[in-house]
């Protein structure tokens, strides 16, 4: 069932409910007037001469009917006023099709689908930014919809550190406030899985590509000036020249006119495009997925690129499975091309698209595990994989890879992120070559070569080239010229290397480092507090000393250190009345949690935390967006995911 049909069914159901409510009102009015009508009928039968035709009896009947109609008009007017008042209030609700279920006030879930995409704390960031920026927000929330965001009076974020879904399910009676006050909630991945924290995920905003390009452009200009100066100086034959290392980008590769790392999909885009990500998530089964490398090196602007394309068929398992995989390098040489036999019986070879037939696959003995091993041997640790909608190919080979360029994303001819242009048309339009011309299906080598040519073609121009969302148009007389770019709206803040706290997770460092490659934090980012300040919003945070020092030192944010949950509660109760954004964290449970913690102590801590959330909630302004984050927790053997609760304070 499509999303449009689901929406249509919902509208029909809504109309049915309104009609039923209207009939019920009419029925109640009829029930109230029925005894009076019955009495009038009896009186007219016993004394027919007392009430001739057109007498007071009929007048009374007409009066009662008129009164019923007037009462109905009043009810209709009240209903219209109520609807009008509702339109003046913000509203938040889930929109993911996989999460489209009746919200309930307990923590059990009836979702059985394995295709539910992982949701992250950065998804909560997108909701906060949308509540502040409205239509100007470049990354809309992918998991919920916020209606009438201009009516949101304030935003309050409360973090219950150390608490996970284990506590929510095991001790449901310890959370009466959350159970009763919040009906909208989503499960989220614990950020410590990839060496991040809730504040880092919330407050570090990835700058738009245009802004990053300006920074790279200014640095390249400085490099060119220095190179020109060095050319004008007499060369000293006794002195060896050393390549100056770029503080933001290393030297560009070959014919690239801008850094190729600017084309890499960000973490948010990886999520949006449904790429497989290496996180433990309760509703996603990725136990048989493997990494393309055991360890990854940091990607740079000289990292080699490889194009990958796969062909699939349908099997008895009712899913598409790999039948062919091809990889080419930047010289357009085929490094790997093999047919693959699925473990499950094939029900449809999809020959029209894949070019695979029974005769081709019958003698094949290569299995998926061999393909995975070969890819691990073939790719270097900083390899950039290119492909058209590459997420589907990576799911087919059942592998994770952190550095990807997707031609369906870097080229956009529609102006809408969700509407992709096919590889055939892109190749014909930009590379001036025709592919997929035959009737015997696609050739994965041909498609890989076309993908690599498209990426190289864009790198010879500029970041805007081929993307109408960034100002490019197909009728430009000189499309190589970059469209006029505005000055960066927000300043870039440098993230120090030490800010990546590996100790957040007790797993071995090389495993965390590998996972972190997928959730890399750019060296330069925008601060959420600067965004708030730009939009005239005041902000305050009440949390631990480290977080206040790291994020609350500028941009007008009031940072208050707190060493106890009791103090945090008291401070936040007053600040939510005067500020547009308030962030706080409760940390006592995490400090008390260890192997010797008794069940009684756990229950007590959880109840106190929930009680403090409730007291803050009572003081929050009406029509505020309230978010409670249960981030999850890590231990030596297992990752425990968390939950984010959202509501509009009424």
């Amino acid at each position: 069932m499509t999303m449009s049909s689901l929406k249509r069914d919902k509208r029909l159901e809504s109309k049915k409910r309104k009609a039923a409510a209207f009939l019920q009102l009419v029925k109640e009015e009829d029930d109230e007037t029925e005894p009076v009508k019955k009495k009038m009928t009896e009186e007219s039968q016993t004394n027919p001469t007392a009430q001739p035709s057109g007498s007071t009896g009929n007048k009374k009947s007409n009066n009662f009917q008129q009164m019923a109609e007037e009462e109905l008009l009043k009810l209709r007017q009240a209903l219209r006023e109520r609807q009008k008042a509702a339109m003046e209030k913000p509203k938040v609700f889930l929109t993911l099709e996989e999460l489209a279920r009746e919200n309930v006030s307990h923590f059990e879930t009836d979702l059985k689908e394995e295709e539910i995409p992982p949701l992250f704390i950065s998804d909560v960031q997108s909701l906060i930014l949308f509540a502040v920026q409205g239509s100007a927000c470049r990354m809309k929330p992918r998991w919920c919809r916020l209606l009438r965001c201009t009516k949101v009076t304030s935003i309050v974020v409360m973090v219950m550190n150390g608490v996970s879904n284990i506590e929510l399910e095991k001790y449901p009676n310890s959370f009466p406030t959350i159970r009763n006050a919040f009906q909208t909630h989503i499960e989220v991945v614990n950020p410590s899985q990839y060496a991040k924290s809730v504040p880092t995920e919330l407050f570090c905003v990835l700058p738009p590509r245009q802004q990053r390009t300006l920074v790279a452009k200014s640095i390249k200009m400085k490099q060119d000036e220095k190179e020109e100066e060095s050319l004008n100086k007499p060369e000293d034959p006794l002195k060896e020249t050393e390549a100056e290392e770029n503080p933001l980008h290393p030297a560009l590769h070959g014919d690239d006119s801008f850094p190729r790392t600017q084309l890499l999909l960000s973490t948010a885009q990886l999520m949006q495009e449904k790429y497989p990500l290496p996180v433990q998530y309760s509703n996603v089964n990725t136990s048989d997925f493997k990494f393309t490398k055991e360890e990854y090196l940091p990607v740079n602007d000289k990292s080699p690129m490889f194009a990958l394309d796969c062909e699939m068929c349908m099997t008895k398992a009712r899913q598409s499975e790999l039948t062919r995989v091809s990889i080419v390098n930047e010289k357009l040489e085929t490094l790997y091309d093999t047919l693959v036999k699925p473990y499950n019986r094939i029900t449809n070879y999809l020959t029209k698209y894949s070019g695979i037939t029974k005769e081709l696959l019958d003698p094949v003995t290569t299995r998926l595990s061999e393909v995975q091993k070969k890819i691990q041997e073939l790719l270097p640790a900083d390899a950039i994989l290119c492909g058209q909608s590459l997420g589907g190919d990576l799911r087919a080979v059942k592998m994770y890879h952190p550095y990807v360029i997707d031609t369906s994303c870097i080229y956009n001819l529609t102006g809408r992120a969700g509407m992709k242009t096919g590889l055939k048309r892109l190749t014909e339009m930009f590379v001036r070559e025709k592919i997929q011309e035959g009737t015997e299906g696609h050739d994965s080598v041909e498609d890989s070569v076309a993908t690599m040519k498209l990426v190289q073609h864009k790198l010879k121009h500029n970041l805007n080239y081929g993307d109408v969302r960034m100002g490019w148009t197909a009728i430009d007389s000189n499309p190589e010229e970059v469209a006029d770019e505005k000055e960066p709206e927000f300043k870039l803040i440098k993230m120090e290397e030490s800010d990546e706290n590996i100790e957040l997770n007790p797993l071995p460092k090389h495993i965390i480092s590998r996972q972190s490659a997928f959730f890399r934090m750019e060296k330069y980012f925008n601060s959420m507090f600067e965004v708030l300040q730009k939009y005239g919003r005041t902000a305050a945070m009440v949390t631990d000393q480290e977080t206040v020092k790291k994020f609350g030192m500028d941009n007008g944010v009031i940072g208050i250190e707190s060493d106890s949950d009791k103090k945090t509660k008291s401070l936040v109760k007053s600040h939510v009345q005067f500020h547009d954004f308030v962030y706080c964290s409760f940390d006592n449970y995490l400090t008390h949690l260890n192997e010797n913690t008794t069940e009684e102590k756990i229950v007590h801590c959880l109840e106190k935390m929930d009680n403090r959330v409730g007291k803050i909630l009572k003081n929050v302004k009406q029509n505020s967006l309230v978010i409670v984050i249960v981030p999850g927790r890590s231990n030596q053997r297992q990752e425990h995911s968390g939950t984010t609760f959202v509501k509009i304070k009424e």
Side-chain angles (χ1 to χ4, degrees), residues 8 87 165 228 379 422-423 443 504 512 538 569 582 647:
R8 184 175 63 251
M87 293 299 291
N165 287 345
E228 187 176 353
L379 297 180
L423 181 63
D443 183 337
L504 286 169
I512 295 302
T538 59
K569 176 206 67 176
V582 178
K647 73 168 296 179

Side-chain angles (χ1 to χ4, degrees), residues 183-234:
Q183 280 71 51
T184 302
H185 56 275
I186 58 166
E187 187 174 352
V188 292
V189 173
N190 175 18
S192 67
Q193 283 197 49
Y194 42 93
K196 295 293 189 298
S197 64
V198 173
T200 300
E201 289 283 83
L202 283 182
F203 303 146
C204 295
V205 181
L206 187 65
R209 281 185 173 180
Q210 293 93 328
Q211 188 176 356
R212 284 177 278 167
T213 304
L214 286 175
V215 175
K217 189 176 178 182
S218 64
I219 290 178
K220 190 173 185 300
M221 288 175 62
K222 292 179 180 179
Q223 283 184 327
D224 293 340
E225 291 174 1
K226 290 181 178 180
E227 288 177 5
E228 187 176 353
E229 290 177 3
S230 63
L231 288 174
N232 294 330
K233 290 181 179 180

Side-chain angles (χ1 to χ4, degrees), residues 164-410:
S164 70
N165 287 345
I166 297 297
E167 284 79 13
L168 296 179
E169 295 167 4
K170 189 174 181 180
Y171 310 105
N173 294 331
S174 297
F175 302 94
T177 298
I178 293 180
R179 284 169 57 88
N180 298 324
F182 294 86
Q183 280 71 51
T184 302
H185 56 275
I186 58 166
E187 187 174 352
V188 292
V189 173
N190 175 18
S192 67
Q193 283 197 49
Y194 42 93
K196 295 293 189 298
S197 64
V198 173
T200 300
E201 289 283 83
L202 283 182
F203 303 146
C204 295
V205 181
L206 187 65
R209 281 185 173 180
Q210 293 93 328
Q211 188 176 356
R212 284 177 278 167
T213 304
L214 286 175
V215 175
K217 189 176 178 182
S218 64
I219 290 178
K220 190 173 185 300
M221 288 175 62
K222 292 179 180 179
Q223 283 184 327
D224 293 340
E225 291 174 1
K226 290 181 178 180
E227 288 177 5
E228 187 176 353
E229 290 177 3
S230 63
L231 288 174
N232 294 330
K233 290 181 179 180
E235 185 176 352
D236 184 355
L238 300 177
K239 182 179 180 181
E240 293 185 4
T241 57
E242 296 182 359
E244 182 180 353
E245 186 176 356
N246 191 314
L248 185 60
H249 296 285
L252 298 182
H253 184 283
D255 297 330
D256 296 354
S257 63
F258 65 94
R260 56 179 53 184
T261 52
Q262 294 294 321
L263 295 180
L264 294 176
L265 293 189
S266 66
T267 302
Q269 289 173 309
L270 289 173
M271 300 173 192
Q272 201 77 33
E273 299 297 326
K274 298 181 180 178
Y275 275 74
L277 295 171
V279 291
Q280 292 185 21
Y281 193 70
S282 61
N283 295 305
V284 178
N285 181 19
T286 56
S287 57
D288 51 352
F289 276 61
K290 294 184 178 180
F291 290 88
T292 51
K293 300 297 291 185
E294 284 302 312
E295 293 187 43
Y296 294 101
L297 292 175
V299 67
N300 59 65
D301 295 316
K302 278 194 171 182
S303 294
M305 298 190 304
F306 302 85
L308 180 146
D309 188 74
C310 298
E311 304 297 344
M312 280 80 80
C313 67
M314 294 300 297
T315 67
K316 187 179 179 181
R318 295 183 179 181
Q319 63 183 11
S320 60
E321 294 192 40
L322 183 70
T323 53
R324 184 183 179 185
V325 57
S326 303
I327 300 176
V328 301
N329 62 14
E330 293 186 61
K331 295 180 180 180
L332 307 182
E333 300 169 338
T334 302
L335 301 183
Y336 187 51
D337 180 33
T338 183
L339 294 170
V340 187
K341 179 170 285 187
Y343 290 106
N344 296 304
R345 180 174 61 84
I346 297 174
T347 58
N348 188 342
Y349 286 87
L350 302 175
T351 306
K352 179 180 177 181
Y353 306 101
S354 67
I356 304 298
T357 62
K358 185 177 186 299
E359 291 73 24
L360 282 173
L361 273 192
D362 276 348
V364 174
T365 59
T366 303
R367 296 289 191 176
L368 177 61
S369 59
E370 298 173 60
V371 172
Q372 292 173 329
K373 184 177 180 181
K374 184 64 178 178
I375 291 176
Q376 288 175 332
E377 294 173 354
L378 183 66
L379 297 180
D382 64 338
I384 298 175
L385 274 184
C386 308
Q388 172 81 2
S389 298
L390 186 60
D393 299 297
L394 289 174
R395 288 195 296 273
V397 296
K398 294 190 175 182
M399 299 191 83
Y400 304 117
H401 191 77
Y403 314 128
V404 298
I405 297 175
D406 195 324
T407 49
S408 72
C409 297
I410 64 175

Side-chain angles (χ1 to χ4, degrees), residues 13 65 76 86 123 142 227 248 348 434 444 518 602 641:
E13 289 296 327
Q65 184 177 356
R76 287 178 176 173
D123 285 305
R142 66 188 180 119
E227 288 177 5
L248 185 60
N348 188 342
K434 292 187 177 183
S444 54
F518 291 78
I602 290 175
S641 57

Side-chain angles (χ1 to χ4, degrees), residues 411 423 426-427 430-431 450-458:
Y411 287 95
L423 181 63
L426 289 175
T427 305
F430 293 99
V431 187
T451 300
M452 181 60 73
K453 286 183 177 180
L454 281 169
V455 175
Q456 291 174 333
H457 181 71
K458 176 148 184 164

